[in-house]
Amino acid sequence: MNNDQISLHRQELEEFGYTVIADVFTETAIREMIAVIDSADHSGPLFRKTSDLFAIRRFLQVVPGMAPLVFSPAVEQIVRELFGIRHVPVKSIYFDKPGESNWFVAWHQDLTISVNQKLHVEGYGPWTVKPDQYAVQPPVDILQSIYTLRIHLDDTDEQNGALKVLPGSHAKGVYRADGIDLNQTPEVSCRVKKGGVMIMRPLLMHASGRSSNGHNRRVIHIEFSDRSLTGGLEWAEQSSLFPVTEA
């Protein structure tokens, strides 16, 4: 990206809470990623497969061959220029929404982080505890430190579950979805071409619809933060991920 492009994406992230960057990965790079995912052992507890969704939690941990493919020079530039030189990956998920999926996600904000254990720490809660997974809502300043990078392995539009967002809603803090007035803040569908990325803030109100065109929607979702947690809590994935290096 040149300086003008960097300035534009920074402005969109500040004002709207999201931005889309095209052609971050080549067709060859996308094929390599898909091949690594397809060759992984899908039998572990962090793999979830139904007729409507295939998901891999702690994606970069359980599919370690992905890290060198994902953390390309282009991604390192995006993180360094748009997030900050101290931001590192703290959570990763892979989603594959099949072409005939009836799965949809209602309006919500991303309010939880993944941590290493459950501890009673002031300002953290409520908790969700599942096998090999501890999730908790942290103080709002932690959520505000996070940038989510979504790498699209397929062309994505309204027919195969592209995210719908409410621009600017990230600036309202934590609030309930039942307070949304779409007449006041019309939704926007975030179309992203294969090889492009969408960047969003977790407090951005977003949703996704059912698929209707028979095309998959495969996305690698990686969250970055520059914050340390308190009270003995640590990010669940940070220690085992490749950090983004400074130029």
Side-chain angles (χ1 to χ4, degrees):
M1 293 186 295
N2 60 38
N3 289 337
D4 288 342
Q5 292 170 323
I6 291 168
S7 295
L8 172 64
H9 293 302
R10 280 179 181 160
Q11 180 181 349
E12 290 180 343
L13 280 169
E14 177 74 20
E15 183 176 352
F16 304 130
Y18 75 99
T19 191
V20 174
I21 306 175
D23 301 322
V24 175
F25 292 93
T26 65
E27 181 74 33
T28 298
I30 296 297
R31 284 199 300 268
E32 290 176 349
M33 290 183 191
I34 293 171
V36 170
I37 294 166
D38 287 346
S39 65
D41 179 1
H42 295 176
S43 63
L46 296 174
F47 292 75
R48 173 190 171 195
K49 190 166 188 178
T50 70
S51 60
D52 285 326
L53 175 69
F54 174 51
I56 307 174
R57 301 282 179 180
R58 298 195 184 188
F59 175 62
L60 293 172
Q61 285 185 346
V62 299
V63 190
M66 290 300 301
L69 301 176
V70 166
F71 297 139
S72 66
V75 166
E76 292 193 12
Q77 184 195 20
I78 288 170
V79 174
R80 188 171 60 246
E81 298 286 357
L82 298 183
F83 307 172
I85 60 174
R86 298 186 62 189
H87 275 73
V88 295
V90 294
K91 183 177 181 178
S92 59
I93 311 171
Y94 170 74
F95 297 104
D96 180 359
K97 189 173 185 177
E100 301 302 329
S101 174
N102 285 319
W103 177 59
F104 73 96
V105 180
W107 289 108
H108 68 288
Q109 298 171 299
D110 291 338
L111 298 179
T112 63
I113 60 173
S114 295
V115 295
N116 62 327
Q117 60 183 317
K118 183 178 180 180
L119 296 172
H120 295 290
V121 179
E122 184 177 357
Y124 288 77
W127 285 82
T128 302
V129 178
K130 299 178 181 178
D132 300 309
Q133 181 181 342
Y134 301 91
V136 64
Q137 182 171 330
V140 69
D141 63 302
I142 298 293
L143 295 173
Q144 290 169 335
S145 77
I146 296 172
Y147 292 83
T148 299
L149 181 80
R150 293 170 58 88
I151 302 168
H152 285 251
L153 307 185
D154 299 288
D155 292 341
T156 305
D157 59 22
E158 298 88 342
Q159 278 68 54
N160 65 336
L163 283 191
K164 301 179 290 185
V165 303
L166 302 184
S169 57
H170 68 297
K172 297 181 179 181
V174 176
Y175 69 104
R176 293 175 58 89
D178 57 15
I180 294 172
D181 183 351
L182 294 179
N183 292 317
Q184 292 284 336
T185 308
E187 67 184 51
V188 173
S189 182
C190 298
R191 300 178 180 180
V192 186
K193 300 292 288 184
K194 179 194 297 186
V197 304
M198 177 190 175
I199 300 165
M200 59 179 285
R201 310 306 302 271
L203 293 180
L204 181 72
M205 192 66 73
H206 58 286
S208 67
R210 295 178 173 88
S211 295
S212 60
N213 64 357
H215 296 163
N216 284 45
R217 190 207 69 180
R218 291 170 289 187
V219 174
I220 298 169
H221 169 118
I222 307 174
E223 297 176 14
F224 294 78
S225 176
D226 62 351
R227 298 293 302 275
S228 297
L229 306 180
T230 57
L233 291 174
E234 296 179 2
W235 299 99
E237 299 178 52
Q238 178 178 338
S239 62
S240 64
L241 298 178
F242 288 89
V244 176
T245 56
E246 196 173 341

